[in-house]
Amino acid sequence: MTPVRPLAAAFALLLAWGATSAQAAPVWDALVAELGSGDGRARVAAYRTLVRERDLAVVSVLRRELPGFDFWGQYYGVLVLDRYAPLDARRAWRDFLASDSPWLRLCAGTALLRAGDDTGLDAAVGALTAPGVPPPVRTRMVLRLGRRPHPRLL
């Protein structure tokens, strides 16, 4: 596992040298990989860096990697993805509608619903009623609905 501090330092150097998003791609890949690690401190540090920088190249990395992460990696990845404009993240959300993870399906459905796209409604309903979801995950799913969920989700 790569420590986050050297990653953050490498990232700062890339920016100082005027690196493009494509040149920073290995750093994005490494930071997103840290979201999926079992090290809570590394995960939070990577999350903070990704949220602060908000480079569009990260969306495609999240789109590719999140389905393979455990719940907490997916949780932090979704929090990062939530920081992007709906149009910037739409392709990732649509891909997650077909995920094996009820958490990702629910997040994708609710994100699309918030953006005015009803295509995620069935996935969100299906995720909420999926069998075998651990209680702590189900609690996060209900909290994800927000204060005023879509009427069909109630």
Side-chain angles (χ1 to χ4, degrees):
M1 180 171 58
T2 307
V4 174
R5 289 196 190 279
L7 283 176
F11 179 74
L13 281 174
L14 282 171
L15 287 181
W17 292 334
T20 65
S21 180
Q23 292 167 323
V27 176
W28 300 137
D29 288 345
L31 285 169
V32 169
E34 288 292 336
L35 291 178
S37 76
D39 181 348
R41 288 182 184 184
R43 189 179 308 217
V44 170
Y47 160 76
R48 287 180 179 158
T49 302
L50 292 168
V51 165
R52 182 180 61 243
E53 299 305 329
R54 244 188 326 177
D55 190 296
L56 284 176
V58 172
V59 174
S60 63
V61 179
L62 289 168
R63 184 173 153 241
R64 181 182 71 232
E65 299 296 330
L66 277 188
F69 289 172
D70 67 357
F71 169 73
W72 288 109
Q74 291 177 354
Y75 178 80
Y76 279 97
V78 163
L79 292 178
V80 171
L81 204 51
D82 278 340
R83 298 296 186 115
Y84 290 88
L87 286 176
D88 294 336
R90 181 170 297 209
R91 191 167 174 195
W93 292 130
R94 286 184 186 243
D95 285 355
F96 295 156
L97 290 176
S99 173
D100 291 338
S101 164
W103 168 252
L104 284 181
R105 287 196 314 269
L106 176 83
C107 292
T110 56
L112 290 169
L113 284 169
R114 282 194 307 265
D117 183 345
D118 285 344
T119 60
L121 186 58
D122 290 336
V125 170
L128 283 171
T129 60
V133 176
V137 175
R138 183 136 352 246
T139 298
R140 295 274 181 197
M141 291 170 77
V142 171
L143 292 172
R144 174 77 182 181
L145 297 177
R147 290 183 183 190
R148 287 184 252 159
H150 193 284
R152 280 199 40 208
L153 292 175
L154 298 176

